[in-house]
Amino acid sequence: MTERAKILLVDDRPENLVALEAVLGALDQTLVRAASGEEALKALLSEDFAVILLDVQMPGLDGFETAAHIKRRERTKDIPIIFLTAVSNGPHHTFRGYAAGAVDYLAKPFDPWILRAKVSVFVELHRKNLLLKEQAQLLADRLAERDEAGRDGALLVAELAARLAAVEENARALEKLAADGPAESVLKSELTSTLDTLGSRLGRLRSALDALS
């Protein structure tokens, strides 16, 4: 999959958005700006994002309130959110960020290399999820074609098995990415949950193909 993933950058200060774009530009993805929580929610109505970088201190809807709205929407509730803040009131403030649905919480000034590494993990997760959905849809479409056109079942199953094997290889690569990635417990939990879901879906697809063989 070569299509660029979209990353939503939310901050009311233009200079902070410029800094984020400078840090994440090397990932060669599509960076979308939002200058407020309200603007971010509007963008999320029509576009799909791999990850959201969300400033905590903003006028109007602050980061916590914006995250709460994001997590209440069925369309956006699973998008990872990384909170960025220049203010820290200790563990309670950090806990509030995680309670609002964040997968990570970074204080400014943050290490550019660490931020880039964290975002790249979620971009890769997004890509693998999209690939799996595409392959699952292809499997359903091809099986429907076989039923309608009476195609040679053995040839069709072999074709689908090869495609599924490619997805399984990508899933194994993703497991290695998770193992080598950031060690934070919340981030690891998010990766583990996603991998469990991928593994379950792949297992069902493999069982269906085995039954057809």
Side-chain angles (χ1 to χ4, degrees):
M1 185 179 299
T2 58
E3 183 179 353
R4 291 181 176 183
K6 292 181 180 179
I7 302 169
L8 183 58
L9 313 177
V10 189
D11 199 304
D12 63 299
R13 298 174 66 91
E15 63 270 26
N16 289 341
L17 292 172
V18 170
L20 287 173
E21 289 172 338
V23 170
L24 301 175
L27 298 180
D28 195 28
Q29 306 302 320
T30 300
L31 306 178
V32 178
R33 287 188 177 197
S36 66
E38 293 85 353
E39 191 174 324
L41 294 174
K42 183 177 180 181
L44 287 161
L45 288 174
S46 58
E47 299 185 78
D48 294 321
F49 293 93
V51 61
I52 301 168
L53 275 62
L54 182 57
D55 184 41
V56 171
Q57 301 294 124
M58 295 186 295
L61 285 178
D62 66 17
F64 298 131
E65 294 167 330
T66 302
H69 282 287
I70 292 170
K71 293 302 178 182
R72 281 198 294 265
R73 292 178 178 177
E74 184 64 29
R75 174 186 171 89
T76 59
K77 64 184 180 64
D78 294 325
I79 302 176
I81 298 173
I82 299 177
F83 273 132
L84 303 175
T85 180
V87 178
S88 178
N89 294 327
H92 176 73
H93 199 69
T94 302
F95 175 77
R96 186 183 175 193
Y98 289 130
V103 297
D104 213 337
Y105 192 100
L106 297 179
K108 303 173 185 176
F110 48 79
D111 186 318
W113 293 96
I114 291 177
L115 178 63
R116 193 182 300 118
K118 291 176 184 292
V119 171
S120 67
V121 168
F122 288 111
V123 167
E124 191 64 19
L125 277 172
H126 179 72
R127 289 184 184 279
K128 301 304 182 187
N129 268 314
L130 290 180
L131 179 60
L132 181 59
K133 289 178 181 179
E134 288 181 356
Q135 294 294 335
Q137 185 59 51
L138 176 64
L139 174 60
D141 292 344
R142 299 294 274 171
L143 289 175
E145 287 178 10
R146 185 198 67 173
D147 292 339
E148 293 176 3
R151 288 189 55 190
D152 185 343
L155 289 176
L156 180 59
V157 170
E159 176 188 343
L160 294 174
R163 291 181 179 274
L164 182 56
V167 179
E168 289 171 331
E169 180 63 28
N170 282 327
R172 286 190 289 272
L174 187 57
E175 289 173 356
K176 183 178 185 303
L177 176 69
D180 297 340
E184 289 88 342
S185 59
V186 175
L187 193 56
K188 281 289 185 184
S189 175
E190 180 81 8
L191 292 173
T192 300
S193 175
T194 300
L195 287 170
D196 287 345
T197 301
L198 287 172
S200 176
R201 291 174 179 172
L202 285 172
R204 289 196 294 270
L205 288 174
R206 176 57 67 186
S207 296
L209 277 178
D210 289 345
L212 290 171
S213 300

